[in-house]
Amino acid sequence: MRRSDRRSESVPLWCAATLALALALVAVPAAADDDLTSLSLEALMDIEVTSVSKRAEKLSEAAAAITVITGDQLRRSGFRSIPEALRMVPGLDVARIDANKWAISSRGFNGRFANKLLVMIDGRSVYTPAFSGVYWEFQDVMIEDVDRIEVIRGPGGTMWGANAVNGVINIITKPAIDTQGVLVSVGGGTHELFGATRFGGKLGDGVHYRAYTRGFDMSDYDSPSGGDAHDGWYAGRGGFRLDWDMGDQDQLTFQGDYFDGEADQTNQNPLIGRDTADFRGGNLLARWSHTVSERSSTQTQIFWDRYHRDEGFVGETRDTLDFDFQHDLTLSVRHDLTWGLSYRLTTDDIDPTGFTTLMPTSQTDHLVAGFVQSQYELVENRLVGTLGTKLEYNEYSGFEVQPSARLLYTPHANHTFWGAVSRAVRTPARIDHGISIVTPMDALTIANFVGDTDFDAEDLIAYELGYRAVLRPDLTVDAAAFVFDYDDLRSFEQGAPIPAGFIMGIPIPPFTVPLTFDNRVEARSRGFELEAAWQPRDFWNLTLGYTY
């Protein structure tokens, strides 16, 4: 495998140890997972999802455009990363930029720093307030531990808050009880060598755990002009999960991860050119689920997340502490109510470069939010209405309200129609208010992108219609259409060019052109998505997806 000497010398010992351990244990039989038997398509429509309403409901009864990738589908697909697996979802734009970078978005607005898609791992938000997006190279989840990936195409701000504008991705890992024994995964090819090990056990009655470590080393891709693309990278990750089932009323989960890696890259700013991004981080999460009665249950979650990224463009260290409380109530046979409160504290420390500055270089932000959602069965077994809203306060744009109204109509057990009207916002990021980037446009012009403290939240009003059906036990169809009206989208307002100086009163180049962030763009996006799945045999699934 091709890789530079510098990178080979700096590979972390524990990452190399993961690869060596996986190779050494490759002969050890892996523990059998419970989901090795593929679900039928009809049974898959009855799988429970939680991302639409923050409470368990059947996929067939969710009033949203939602796709579920099961752990079994992941295992059969052969994909080794979450971004690769997301290519199976209609309506998602998934593009690989180079060996270590991805651009992923839902229903448009895609790019390296796509900022309208909220991504969570076990309910832990992994978007960064630096640009309201996701560093996908940080999210190297062990595929063998994923129970399912729930993907909502469309806004989810009522339940999940700001930045869930065009979609929500919730990656849910398996309970520790489902990952007992030893599992070893190892492989390689012309560009990559990878290995992973996992061990699960039992500490006592109702207490199960697992621990894992995984690592990989990927060499440079080939550039279009020939030679190496200078995008090789390596990373290592380790973590654990402990689940304590304390009886019928209480369940406790405690989990954490740590990662460390390095990626070569070629910066789009020619003044920086080739450089190396060093990154590392970790997280700890605790979640307590409590059943008060048959009609009442609560869930309390707290997590801490820290990451550090250092590159030629900019350096950033960020700490996030998040608290979330949710209460589910069954008020009557037809009426369910869910409400919750959350608080997030995030601090950053920015290391500016000669080309990029973020002011202030250190900042602490607070986010306070509350939501309520009411679901009522208007016509028994036929029509369900859902109303909800989220009220959120952030220190950039103040109070934001994100309401939604949804209807679910089931004329037949195998046919479901749904519609929704929602509002969602993308709140300002750190770069919107305080960034300054200097980059050459040509030999005579330098662009200076400048943030504005008056930059406001971007706004979406979404209209959606959908239909899903089980036409036969081996044939299902899922369709969705949407019209999205955006307001106050980010624009760049050009100021007067500033010359480098004057000679005899004549301005001389290069000219610096200030481009200030503003909210002067409106847009409309419309389209539809279609997915049909056919299972001719128990071991064989065919899926056709089309997105316009």
Side-chain angles (χ1 to χ4, degrees), residues 20 42 60 90 110 126 131 135 153 160 166 173 192 207 209 227 233 273 309 312 326 356 414 416 461 490 512 542:
E42 192 172 20
S60 60
N110 201 15
V126 297
F131 63 92
Y135 286 118
R153 304 171 324 267
W160 300 107
N166 282 8
T173 62
E192 182 181 8
V207 182
Y209 72 91
W233 66 313
R309 184 182 179 92
Q326 178 179 320
T356 305
N414 292 337
T416 301
I461 303 297
R490 182 195 290 162
T512 300
L542 294 174

Side-chain angles (χ1 to χ4, degrees), residues 436-499:
S436 174
I437 303 177
V438 177
T439 182
M441 300 295 290
D442 52 48
L444 301 177
T445 309
I446 296 175
N448 184 16
F449 294 89
V450 182
D452 188 348
T453 55
D454 290 331
F455 186 88
D456 207 352
E458 297 180 329
D459 182 85
L460 166 68
I461 303 297
Y463 308 90
E464 300 175 275
L465 289 174
Y467 167 73
R468 62 175 64 94
V470 179
L471 302 180
R472 298 187 328 205
D474 62 347
L475 180 63
T476 63
V477 173
D478 195 332
F482 63 91
V483 176
F484 284 1
D485 285 328
Y486 298 91
D487 197 6
D488 293 331
L489 292 179
R490 182 195 290 162
S491 62
F492 300 102
E493 304 304 317
Q494 181 174 324
I498 304 170

Side-chain angles (χ1 to χ4, degrees), residues 216-252:
F216 68 89
D217 193 353
M218 181 178 291
S219 62
D220 296 326
Y221 279 9
D222 296 328
S223 68
S225 59
D228 292 340
H230 192 74
D231 57 358
W233 66 313
Y234 64 81
R237 176 178 291 265
F240 70 94
R241 173 164 173 161
L242 185 146
D243 293 322
W244 183 11
D245 188 348
M246 295 180 281
D248 296 334
Q249 290 186 297
D250 297 281
Q251 291 80 40
L252 181 66

Side-chain angles (χ1 to χ4, degrees), residues 39-45 413-415 467-478 530-538 540-545:
L39 289 173
S40 68
L41 294 180
E42 192 172 20
L44 186 60
M45 297 296 283
N414 292 337
H415 298 268
Y467 167 73
R468 62 175 64 94
V470 179
L471 302 180
R472 298 187 328 205
D474 62 347
L475 180 63
T476 63
V477 173
D478 195 332
L530 176 65
E531 182 178 22
W534 179 41
Q535 188 176 31
R537 296 289 185 272
D538 291 342
W540 188 15
N541 286 344
L542 294 174
T543 302
L544 172 68

